[in-house]
Amino acid sequence: MSAERKMVQERAVSGVKSMSAERKMVQERAVSGEDPPPQYIMEESHRPIDDPPPTSPVPVPVVHLGHSDETAEIKAALQSWGMFQVIDHGLPSSFLDEVRDIARTFFKLPIEEKQKYSNLIDGEFKYEGYGNDNIIAEGQILDWTDRLYLLVQPEDERKLELWPVNPSSFRDVLHEYTIKTRKLVDDILKVVAKSLELDKDFFSSHFRERSTIFARFNYYPSCSRPDLVFGLKPHSDATLITVILPDKDVEGLQVMKDGKWLKVTTSPHALLLNIGDQMEIMSNGIFKSPVHRVVTNPDNERISVAMFCSNGLEKEIGPADDLVNEMRPRLYKRLKMKDYLEVFFQRFLQGKRAIDWAKL
Ligand code: OGA
Ligand code: NI
């Protein structure tokens, strides 16, 4: 790990000394049939049930890669939803199932086995590893989820000691999934650039140079009170683009569209792509980073894998010059990625958005 990256991570977590020393995994609470304890319960005005009830499922737009319409399809999907699904992504369904399987097998291991990869070292929170969110403020409301968070790119910054060896295929499958999703994202970023009439490498060249990809394996246990808690509070991603492998059977993801929460449904073979704050900034707000959330349910656990694709930490980003003109003034400042991420994580943990900080 570079000294600078380390510094950013340490700064980002230093605000309040970790109060996480004795954390119980959500999975353990669910297994013992516990109702959610107070620190997981949303304040009354923000509960899942208090929002307008999600309308019936509408499938997220499908983009057909390699078709002559792909550019228009991506543009329309990003302007209306901020996300789309891809079915002809070239990753065999059997391989996607393998990715789901390594996640499921890992989360089913005994707790002691998983704790070998804990994100708490001597009570101090580390970004990578197995566990929950960092606790940075008193009264912070926690998400009903456990997760394994790993940097997968740049390869020379991987902390392999945190990559599970059980199941034995874990490392190979995750490595292969990284290569494949990276290629897909690279291709898609070219189409996104084209849809904005920018040079086709505008986003992908940013993405390539020391870009980072974090893999997050999300485990959302079933919950006796889905009306009180979130699997993941409403948020947008900090990324350029995120690739989600949703659970094959269990729904839970919702997206805010035109002021309403919609349940997200996708084909079992699809990958779901959503843009994040970096794309909103670089596109000068033509594309908006969608606000989304995950709800729980009393009967089933849910597993998803997110690949967070971002510009390198040392990169400075801002709106593309070609997207700034008299009609459309510059809406966001230029900023260094590591500064943005620092603000992002502080706010994310408190259920607040960081994009406002980037606005001029
Ligand atoms: C995320 C996220 C969605 C999901 O990890 O940021 O939004 O379906 N995940 O788990
Ligand atoms: Ni997200």
Side-chain angles (χ1 to χ4, degrees):
M1 183 196 284
S2 73
E4 268 155 345
R5 175 186 296 275
K6 199 161 174 185
M7 198 181 74
V8 174
Q9 295 192 348
E10 280 168 4
R11 257 195 293 158
V13 301
S14 62
V16 176
K17 189 78 180 156
S18 180
M19 296 175 235
S20 317
E22 296 296 323
R23 292 287 290 280
K24 201 167 171 182
M25 292 298 126
V26 179
Q27 186 172 17
E28 296 173 274
R29 299 186 189 279
V31 166
S32 62
E34 253 183 68
D35 279 341
Q39 65 268 36
Y40 288 85
I41 296 179
M42 291 299 290
E43 59 266 46
E44 229 169 307
S45 57
H46 287 87
R47 290 181 185 163
I49 205 158
D50 283 338
D51 285 300
T55 55
S56 60
V58 188
V60 174
V62 177
V63 163
H64 299 91
L65 289 184
H67 286 207
S68 55
D69 301 340
E70 63 177 6
T71 312
E73 284 177 355
I74 283 198
K75 185 165 194 183
L78 291 185
Q79 282 185 316
S80 55
W81 287 74
M83 57 171 59
F84 55 88
Q85 50 175 323
V86 178
I87 297 165
D88 48 5
H89 41 59
L91 281 72
S93 296
S94 56
F95 181 66
L96 295 184
D97 286 341
E98 273 183 65
V99 178
R100 292 184 171 108
D101 281 348
I102 58 166
R104 190 168 302 274
T105 307
F106 174 75
F107 287 119
K108 292 291 168 196
L109 294 174
I111 196 86
E112 312 77 57
E113 180 72 19
K114 287 179 291 208
Q115 291 292 15
K116 289 182 188 160
Y117 308 100
S118 176
N119 62 10
L120 291 175
I121 297 179
D122 299 330
E124 182 134 0
F125 180 87
K126 306 287 171 195
Y127 265 78
E128 289 183 68
Y130 167 72
N132 315 96
D133 272 331
N134 192 13
I135 300 183
I136 59 163
E138 230 167 304
Q140 179 186 331
I141 297 168
L142 305 181
D143 292 329
W144 195 257
T145 179
D146 298 331
R147 60 177 64 121
L148 175 66
Y149 195 49
L150 298 170
L151 176 121
V152 295
Q153 181 184 297
E155 278 188 41
D156 58 11
E157 291 186 24
R158 288 179 182 174
K159 291 206 198 97
L160 279 183
E161 68 277 15
L162 292 174
W163 290 41
V165 291
N166 190 353
S168 58
S169 58
F170 192 101
R171 293 179 177 188
D172 286 345
V173 172
L174 181 55
H175 175 69
E176 199 178 332
Y177 189 53
T178 303
I179 304 293
K180 289 187 149 98
T181 51
R182 182 196 151 101
K183 166 81 172 66
L184 177 70
V185 162
D186 229 26
D187 291 347
I188 283 175
L189 288 175
K190 290 190 170 67
V191 186
V192 176
K194 223 174 123 196
S195 80
L196 293 168
E197 297 175 31
L198 297 170
D199 181 280
K200 72 172 181 2
D201 291 320
F202 182 77
F203 298 112
S204 60
S205 62
H206 274 266
F207 174 60
R208 242 174 274 129
E209 232 176 275
R210 298 307 285 173
S211 57
T212 60
I213 305 180
F214 278 92
R216 194 159 86 187
F217 296 84
N218 292 307
Y219 180 76
Y220 306 99
S222 58
C223 180
S224 59
R225 294 300 305 272
D227 53 328
L228 300 180
V229 310
F230 280 118
L232 207 48
K233 284 188 280 299
H235 69 283
S236 63
D237 295 350
T239 57
L240 197 49
I241 197 159
T242 307
V243 181
I244 294 177
L245 178 64
D247 195 291
K248 224 170 169 172
D249 305 307
V250 183
E251 285 176 9
L253 179 60
Q254 301 182 352
V255 63
M256 174 70 91
K257 180 173 181 300
D258 306 325
K260 289 201 181 82
W261 286 109
L262 297 183
K263 292 183 189 172
V264 168
T265 56
T266 48
S267 142
H269 310 299
L271 288 170
L272 179 68
L273 284 93
N274 69 267
I275 52 169
D277 294 354
Q278 292 164 48
M279 179 63 79
E280 176 167 334
I281 293 167
M282 293 171 83
S283 72
N284 200 25
I286 293 178
F287 297 143
K288 296 276 187 313
S289 171
V291 176
H292 52 286
R293 65 185 193 179
V294 175
V295 297
T296 59
N297 79 76
D299 305 314
N300 296 300
E301 64 195 14
R302 179 172 179 274
I303 292 176
S304 67
V305 183
M307 299 290 267
F308 296 108
C309 304
S310 286
N311 289 293
L313 277 180
E314 295 306 319
K315 196 114 209 166
E316 195 182 276
I317 64 159
D321 288 337
D322 290 349
L323 300 178
V324 177
N325 52 45
E326 272 172 24
M327 301 289 291
R328 190 170 192 94
R330 182 181 297 275
L331 296 177
Y332 306 86
K333 54 189 174 195
R334 289 193 69 78
L335 42 86
K336 202 157 189 178
M337 275 315 304
K338 63 179 176 190
D339 296 331
Y340 190 70
L341 291 177
E342 186 176 337
V343 173
F344 180 88
F345 283 115
Q346 290 284 333
R347 298 197 177 184
F348 177 84
L349 292 169
Q350 302 180 61
K352 296 185 194 143
R353 292 197 70 190
I355 192 81
D356 303 325
W357 179 81
K359 286 185 180 150
L360 283 171

